[in-house]
Amino acid sequence: MADLRRRLWLEASRPRDRREIIIVHGDEMSCEDYKGMTAEVVMECFDALMPAYRALCNEHNLNACDVADLAQIGKSPEEILRIIAARGGK
């Protein structure tokens, strides 16, 4: 019985491995949950973009999903840059 208590105590007092934990806006989640929630979605959008739009995302730190939405409605990279400039971006 004492052996079982000791193992339980050791397990409870073992340092928690936080390398796989991400805190987003105060919420703890695993890397897998985070990737499924946001990162993979954004990367899918980025991978689907044409090279000119990818460069736009990289150079101006734009969200790939937003750029993909604008590209789908027919906006060129130059038009997207004008939209950014009109809103006070770089």
Side-chain angles (χ1 to χ4, degrees):
M1 185 70 163
D3 192 39
L4 176 61
R5 280 192 204 152
R6 178 151 175 77
R7 274 190 282 149
L8 290 174
W9 178 81
L10 285 172
E11 186 64 35
S13 64
R14 179 175 293 164
R16 189 168 173 201
D17 183 7
R18 299 187 62 83
R19 291 176 295 174
E20 297 294 324
I21 301 294
I22 298 172
I23 299 175
V24 179
H25 302 294
D27 296 330
E28 277 190 15
M29 61 182 72
S30 70
C31 286
E32 292 300 318
D33 292 341
Y34 178 74
K35 286 189 338 187
M37 207 172 85
T38 55
E40 286 180 358
V41 173
V42 172
M43 288 310 298
E44 286 175 9
C45 291
F46 185 79
D47 291 341
L49 290 174
M50 293 176 14
Y53 293 100
R54 286 185 188 188
L56 192 64
C57 291
N58 289 333
E59 292 171 11
H60 297 281
N61 196 24
L62 300 177
N63 184 298
C65 294
D66 293 341
V67 172
D69 290 342
L70 291 171
Q72 282 182 343
I73 61 172
K75 301 287 184 187
S76 70
E78 294 79 20
E79 290 173 319
I80 294 172
L81 280 175
R82 281 195 290 261
I83 292 170
I84 294 167
R87 292 187 179 178
K90 293 180 186 178

